[in-house]
């Protein structure tokens, strides 16, 4: 059983220190140490010449102290000698510039010399340590896509892209049709004429670009698969994972995760909040109250939910922020209690194991200002103290391992939809992730547990499924959604859904394209609303109109389809904005408005009522509720990211404190920056 661990870089520290570090890790209650993911130049100082001495000794020292080992393949950091011998492994950016050695991830996934070198080091590492009794698993590479490194515009990629297109379309004519290449004389008559879509004048063709994005993502999935094949062969019985990142959008993580035993990801709450708040909150959206040093709990929860939805299993946190980071704008030092809070929050959202990044703050190079569990001088920092304090949570955390996150509601998200929408947003603030996040937060505010899953995932366990905006729709997806509804589910389809075919052309019948049959309504027109322009939405039971920002669609319901909400003002006045109809044993709704916070709140309240889903608790702003189910017990988590005591009202049947067994009153108080965990026997629900 692995509960807690830490990332360690023996190559950063004098060998004399290793034994003390290892002993101290064990004494702190850590079970696992992740090493080696950037140490290529140390392992293979020259082509084909390996130096395992230092790593052998590090492995023995750590294993000797009773730690389990996770090894990272060192491929995110190709050594200078490799780059010197094969400069063509360096990626080329969209401006056509060949990037340099000196940072990390300076590689093209399609460069043959890199693939050869990568195969060699991965095989050598796996042969050397793959059967070591202390080795429990592997991390492939490190953070594919970190620093915008998925899309390369080099000649290797151009050639590989042409092969990818040949495999996808078979013939040039099919590709030309799929791209609408008749436009602006793009029609191709030889495969070699096809270029990568950078450096074009005017705009590139969005079908061409979407395929290039798919190809780029596939390139890394295939690259990882080559590593995994070797690891499974040379190191049987060990798990293989990758450390993903919530914010990455350029790599189809569903595809990447399919090859892994489980998903792990890197959780940096303050850094992510610093970077992503402007991206993720558009007009009419406000972050919930939270401590400046805690990170936005809604954003952290969103990434947790997205990551665990990739395989719909519990996950690991492979790098948990241990204190301040170095890569945000301001990098606050957390106040006491926050590292513990983050750890419990991880478990609340479906994590089984937490590995902190990193053991000790580094004295040199790029990450000097990043905290570790130990300070620069090797003495315990805040993270260390708080991990020590987790001793009293250990029993509970162990009980939670393997329990399944539970939600009645699923939101649908796909990376391909995200790419397609970003190519032609039509409104600068219309963004797929923002739309999903807006509804996610609205469900959270209303006290519901939510999953985020791929549109083609098995949806049968959900009472309510919401597609905030479903861009690329084909017959299979339409049939899949129809089957869900006919089987008794409630489905809401949001604006701009079904408008496009998988190759990014408008469906010839106009919106909602293939979904029209299921929805029973047509979109009469869509209006992009510039800043300052709002249309009024009229809900059946609300006296006041709700102002809609960003996007509005008029709907024409067919026979037997109810117009639930209508446009009260604006150019669509009098038309339907929300429709509902029964199909088989279920129901399907279409909603034609951008989900700003107030709009989303009304929509979620209506949806919960229509679908019969019940909130877990009545929550104040800044508090979220989640669920996990074990074989005998179910667990409720109340996560308070604010600086105040908060009260949550619970619904029967009653919960008891998961640690002490003390029955909870009908209203519980959650201390600032804390997580309460309730339990009750499974049958009770
Ligand atoms: C992660 C990365 C680590 C380290 C860390 C700093 O994204 O995987 O190697 O750079 O960030 O926060
Ligand atoms: Zn390339």
């Amino acid at each position: 059983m692995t509960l807690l661990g830490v990332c360690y870089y023996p190559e950063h520290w004098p060998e004399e220190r290793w034994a003390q570090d290892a002993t101290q890790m064990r004494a702190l209650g850590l079970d696992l140490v992740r090493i080696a993911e950037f140490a290529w130049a140390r392992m293979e100082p020259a082509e084909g010449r390996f130096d395992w001495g230092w790593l052998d000794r590090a492995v023995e020292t750590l294993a000797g102290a009773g730690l389990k080992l996770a090894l990272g393949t060192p491929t995110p950091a190709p050594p200078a000698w490799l780059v010197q011998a094969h400069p063509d492994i360096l990626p080329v950016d969209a401006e056509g510039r060949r990037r340099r050695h000196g940072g990390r991830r300076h590689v093209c996934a399609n460069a043959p010399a890199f693939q050869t070198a990568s195969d060699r080091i991965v095989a050598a590492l796996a042969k050397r340590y793959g059967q070591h009794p202390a080795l429990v698993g592997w991390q492939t590479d490190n953070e594919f896509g970190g620093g915008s490194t998925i899309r390369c515009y080099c000649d290797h990629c151009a050639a590989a892209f042409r092969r990818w297109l040949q495999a996808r379309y078979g013939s040039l004519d099919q590709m030309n049709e799929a791209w609408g290449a008749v436009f602006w004389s793009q029609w191709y008559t030889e495969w070699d004429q096809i270029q990568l879509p950078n450096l074009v004048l005017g705009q590139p063709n969005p079908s061409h670009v979407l395929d290039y994005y798919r190809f780029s993502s596939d390139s890394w999935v295939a690259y990882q698969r080559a590593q995994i094949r070797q690891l499974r062969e040379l190191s049987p019985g060990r798990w293989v994972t990758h450390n993903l990142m919530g914010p990455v959008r350029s790599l189809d993580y569903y595809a990447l995760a399919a090859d892994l035993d489980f998903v792990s990801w890197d959780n940096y709450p303050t850094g992510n909040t610093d970077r992503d708040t402007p991206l993720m909150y558009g007009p009419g959206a406000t972050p919930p109250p939270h401590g400046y040093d805690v990170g936005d709990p809604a954003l952290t929860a969103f990434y947790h939910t997205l990551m665990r939805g990739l395989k719909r299993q519990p996950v690991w946190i492979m790098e948990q922020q241990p204190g301040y980071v170095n890569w945000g704008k301001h990098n606050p030092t957390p106040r006491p209690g926050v590292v513990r809070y983050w750890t419990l929050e991880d478990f609340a959202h479906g994590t089984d194991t937490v590995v902190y990044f990193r053991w000790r703050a580094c004295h040199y190079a790029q990450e000097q200002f990043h905290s570790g569990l130990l300070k620069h001088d090797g003495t315990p920092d805040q993270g260390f103290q708080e991990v020590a304090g987790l001793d009293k949570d250990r029993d509970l955390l162990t009980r939670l391992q393997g329990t399944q996150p539970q939600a009645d509601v699923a939101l649908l998200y796909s990376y391909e939809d995200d790419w397609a929408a970003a190519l032609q947003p039509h409104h600068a603030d219309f963004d797929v992730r923002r739309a999903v996040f807006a509804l996610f937060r609205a469900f959270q505010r209303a006290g519901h547990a939510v999953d985020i899953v791929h549109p083609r995932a098995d949806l049968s366990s959900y009472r309510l499924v919401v597609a905030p905006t479903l861009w690329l729709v084909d017959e299979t997806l339409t049939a899949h959604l129809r089957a869900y509804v006919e089987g008794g589910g409630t489905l809401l389809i949001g604006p701009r859904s079904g408008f496009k075919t998988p190759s990014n052309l408008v469906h010839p019948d106009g919106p909602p394209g293939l979904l029209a049959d299921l929805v029973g309504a047509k979109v009469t027109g869509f209006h992009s609303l510039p800043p300052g322009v709002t249309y009024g939405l009229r809900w059946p039971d609300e006296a006041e109109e709700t102002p809609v920002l960003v996007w509005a669609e008029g709907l024409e319901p067919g026979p037997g389809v109810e117009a639930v909400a209508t446009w009260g003002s604006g150019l669509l006045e009098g038309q339907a904005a929300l429709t509902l109809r029964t199909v088989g044993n279920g129901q399907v709704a279409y909603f034609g408005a951008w989900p700003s916070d107030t709009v989303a709140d009304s929509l979620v309240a209506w949806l919960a009522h229509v679908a019969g889903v019940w909130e877990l608790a009545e929550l104040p702003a800044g508090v979220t509720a989640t669920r996990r189910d074990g074989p005998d017990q179910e667990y409720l988590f109340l996560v308070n990211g604010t600086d105040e005591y908060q009260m949550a009202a619970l619904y029967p049947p009653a919960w008891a404190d998961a640690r002490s067994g003390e029955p909870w009153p009908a209203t519980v108080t959650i201390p600032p920056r804390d997580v309460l965990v309730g339990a009750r026997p499974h049958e009770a629900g």
Side-chain angles (χ1 to χ4, degrees):
M1 167 125 4
T2 311
L3 192 65
L4 300 174
V6 72
C7 305
Y8 186 54
Y9 300 91
E11 69 275 23
H12 295 180
W13 305 104
E15 219 172 302
E16 309 84 75
R17 175 79 190 200
W18 296 352
Q20 182 186 336
D21 283 340
T23 314
Q24 215 174 356
M25 287 173 196
R26 268 315 278 156
L28 184 58
L30 303 179
D31 318 297
L32 171 128
V33 58
R34 184 199 71 176
I35 57 170
E37 82 279 10
F38 294 112
W40 192 343
R42 274 291 162 94
M43 296 174 190
E44 190 183 4
E47 180 171 337
R49 182 158 70 71
F50 297 101
D51 177 4
W52 299 118
W54 70 275
L55 191 51
D56 287 352
R57 293 191 296 281
V59 162
E60 289 320 316
T61 307
L62 295 163
L67 290 156
K68 291 178 217 162
L69 295 173
L71 277 173
T73 58
T75 44
W81 58 258
L82 181 63
V83 174
Q84 184 185 34
H86 305 281
D88 64 310
I89 72 169
L90 292 169
V92 171
D93 67 18
E95 280 73 54
R97 299 174 304 181
R98 172 93 50 200
R99 303 302 295 263
R100 294 189 175 150
H101 178 266
R104 58 176 166 178
R105 305 219 53 74
H106 43 281
V107 279
C108 165
N110 290 306
F114 173 62
Q115 292 169 343
T116 305
S118 167
D119 281 351
R120 185 173 62 230
I121 188 67
V122 171
L125 188 66
K127 269 182 204 141
R128 185 93 192 165
Y129 304 106
Q131 315 268 6
H132 194 287
L135 182 79
V136 290
W138 292 92
Q139 172 186 299
T140 58
D141 203 283
N142 187 81
E143 291 188 340
F144 291 124
S148 306
T149 50
I150 295 301
R151 296 171 189 157
C152 170
Y153 297 85
C154 79
D155 292 344
H156 296 306
C157 285
F161 181 47
R162 290 178 198 119
R163 291 193 294 274
W164 186 94
L165 289 169
Q166 288 182 34
R168 184 177 179 88
Y169 294 106
S171 80
L172 268 175
D173 279 354
Q174 296 229 14
M175 190 205 75
N176 282 321
E177 291 293 342
W179 285 8
V182 66
F183 197 77
W184 289 353
S185 277
Q186 289 160 42
W187 204 263
Y188 296 97
T189 52
E190 279 179 35
W191 293 102
D192 281 348
Q193 294 161 359
I194 302 165
Q195 303 290 325
L196 298 177
N198 62 325
L199 297 175
V200 303
L201 293 163
Q203 297 163 1
N205 179 328
S207 298
H208 180 179
V209 185
L210 181 61
D211 272 344
Y212 166 71
Y213 288 175
R214 288 183 172 121
F215 152 79
S216 305
S217 178
D218 283 0
S219 298
W220 286 103
V221 172
Y223 170 72
Q224 175 180 259
R225 200 168 288 151
Q227 289 208 5
I228 293 176
R229 206 176 301 124
Q230 302 220 54
L231 296 174
R232 295 212 188 281
E233 186 193 320
L234 297 168
S235 185
R238 273 73 177 177
W239 48 255
V240 180
T241 189
H242 175 71
N243 57 335
L244 293 79
M245 292 185 281
V248 162
R249 297 167 77 157
S250 50
L251 180 53
D252 185 345
Y253 271 172
Y254 293 105
L256 192 84
D259 292 326
L260 302 172
D261 291 304
F262 57 85
V263 164
S264 71
W265 69 283
D266 297 347
N267 185 23
Y268 290 95
T270 68
N272 286 342
T273 300
D274 217 5
R275 269 198 190 164
D276 297 349
T277 298
L279 281 173
M280 296 297 284
Y281 290 89
T286 317
H290 58 274
Y292 74 87
D293 53 331
V294 165
D296 172 0
L299 191 64
T300 305
F302 178 74
Y303 290 145
H304 271 294
T305 308
L306 187 66
M307 294 297 102
R308 72 158 195 263
L310 297 173
K311 284 182 95 75
R312 298 179 73 185
Q313 284 170 11
V315 301
W316 283 34
I317 299 298
M318 194 56 99
E319 296 181 12
Q320 172 61 55
Q321 181 174 339
Y324 54 88
V325 296
N326 64 316
W327 48 269
K329 243 195 205 153
H330 303 110
N331 307 308
T333 294
R335 284 171 280 180
V338 174
V339 180
R340 172 178 179 272
Y341 162 85
W342 283 331
T343 308
L344 299 180
E345 186 184 40
D346 292 342
F347 278 84
H349 288 289
T351 299
D352 274 356
T353 300
V354 176
V355 180
Y356 300 89
F357 178 93
R358 49 186 276 152
W359 174 243
R360 179 172 169 183
C362 195
H363 297 173
Y364 39 77
Q366 281 90 330
E367 295 182 345
Q368 298 175 33
F369 284 99
H370 199 291
S371 61
L373 295 180
L374 299 185
K375 294 181 182 173
H376 290 101
D377 67 6
T379 61
D381 205 341
Q382 172 190 354
F384 185 100
Q385 312 286 9
E386 293 187 23
V387 173
L390 284 170
D391 251 7
K392 52 184 191 309
D393 301 298
R394 232 187 141 85
D395 283 351
L396 172 61
L397 300 185
T398 307
R399 266 160 69 202
L400 293 173
Q401 289 196 306
T403 58
Q404 288 295 326
Q406 293 295 317
D408 290 336
V409 182
L411 296 171
L412 305 185
Y413 170 78
S414 86
Y415 291 82
E416 286 185 292
D417 281 351
D418 205 347
W419 303 334
L423 285 168
Q424 292 176 310
H426 207 61
H427 186 300
D429 287 307
F430 198 109
D431 176 278
V432 168
R433 271 214 178 178
R434 267 194 195 162
V436 178
F437 186 48
L439 283 158
F440 176 81
R441 285 181 292 113
F443 277 107
Q444 275 202 331
R445 285 195 291 274
H448 297 281
V450 201
D451 280 353
I452 300 173
V453 299
H454 193 277
R456 290 166 207 262
D458 175 6
L459 303 173
S460 54
S461 67
Y462 299 108
R463 294 183 75 94
L464 171 62
V465 170
V466 175
T469 173
L470 205 58
W471 277 61
L472 307 171
V473 173
D474 63 10
E475 314 259 348
T476 327
L477 180 57
T478 310
H480 173 67
L481 296 175
R482 176 177 281 278
Y484 167 71
V485 174
E486 284 176 348
T490 299
L491 172 68
L492 178 107
I493 296 174
R496 306 182 78 174
S497 295
F499 200 14
K500 295 276 205 148
T501 69
S503 79
N504 214 4
L505 310 181
V506 170
H507 188 274
D509 298 340
L514 290 173
L515 298 171
D517 238 24
L518 178 61
V519 167
K522 280 276 297 174
V523 174
T524 58
F526 53 86
H527 295 199
S528 169
L529 309 179
V533 178
T534 57
Y535 287 6
L537 185 64
R538 191 168 283 155
W539 292 96
D541 305 324
E542 290 177 18
E544 302 274 305
E545 286 180 6
T546 312
V548 166
L549 311 160
V550 180
W551 197 262
E553 292 177 357
L555 309 175
E556 188 185 296
V561 180
E562 185 190 342
V564 179
T566 50
W567 293 109
S569 62
L571 296 180
L572 297 167
E573 192 178 333
Q575 298 195 32
L578 172 62
T579 60
L580 179 68
R581 97 192 276 206
T582 302
V583 175
N585 296 321
Q587 36 193 353
V588 58
Y590 185 96
F591 185 57
W594 175 257
S596 62
D597 288 355
T598 46
V599 172
D601 282 340
S602 303
L603 181 66
V604 163
W606 175 79
L607 274 172
H609 174 76
V610 167
V613 294
W614 306 114
E615 54 270 39
L616 299 173
E618 206 176 298
L619 302 173
V623 176
T624 54
T626 55
R627 283 260 326 265
R628 293 182 78 161
D629 272 18
D632 314 314
Q633 297 234 289
E634 53 185 34
Y635 298 90
L636 173 70
F637 302 82
L638 298 169
V639 181
N640 177 6
T642 76
D643 290 338
E644 315 287 336
Y645 282 86
Q646 301 286 359
M647 315 245 277
L650 304 169
Y651 302 106
W655 297 90
D657 184 275
R659 295 181 179 83
S660 65
E662 281 286 308
W664 273 358
T667 300
V668 288
T669 305
I670 317 145
R673 304 139 181 271
D674 209 345
V675 179
L676 290 192
V677 188
R680 65 188 182 196
H682 210 288
E683 325 57 275

